[in-house]
Amino acid sequence: MIFTRWIPFWVFRSSAHTPQYVNYLGRVLPPVIFGMLVVYCYKDIESPSYGTPEILSGICVVVIQMLFKNMACSILLGTGLYILLIN
């Protein structure tokens, strides 16, 4: 399994430049993956509160991330708020 970790170092040697499509994918894929995660998280909202805990927790994550720029803090506080709201 460690073979898969070595492949990029063999394919893209330090003397060669990185191909343009790899640079493009490195720039474009992270926002696309975050967008897919948001859609996946909100797709099955079927609670009596019509998604209020999910939406409030999502807003909490965005606001905390914008204020503190700390992903762990955003995730932990958003998850904590969600658990608090659903119970």
Side-chain angles (χ1 to χ4, degrees):
M1 294 302 151
I2 198 154
F3 178 71
T4 58
R5 292 185 179 254
W6 293 340
I7 291 174
F9 296 105
W10 288 337
V11 172
F12 305 113
R13 303 257 183 223
S14 62
S15 62
H17 72 288
T18 308
Q20 287 296 93
Y21 69 91
V22 174
N23 290 333
Y24 172 75
L25 290 175
R27 192 175 61 254
V28 172
L29 282 180
V32 170
I33 291 171
F34 277 116
M36 287 176 55
L37 285 172
V38 168
V39 170
Y40 178 77
C41 288
Y42 290 119
K43 72 177 176 67
D44 290 327
I45 295 177
E46 294 180 9
S47 65
S49 60
Y50 301 107
T52 304
E54 291 88 352
I55 293 169
L56 288 176
S57 299
I59 291 170
C60 172
V61 168
V62 170
V63 168
I64 291 174
Q65 180 62 31
M66 289 172 62
L67 290 176
F68 299 114
K69 307 275 192 248
N70 185 340
M71 187 66 74
C73 183
S74 301
I75 292 170
L76 289 174
L77 290 174
T79 303
L81 178 64
Y82 176 71
I83 297 297
L84 184 71
L85 291 174
I86 64 170
N87 287 325

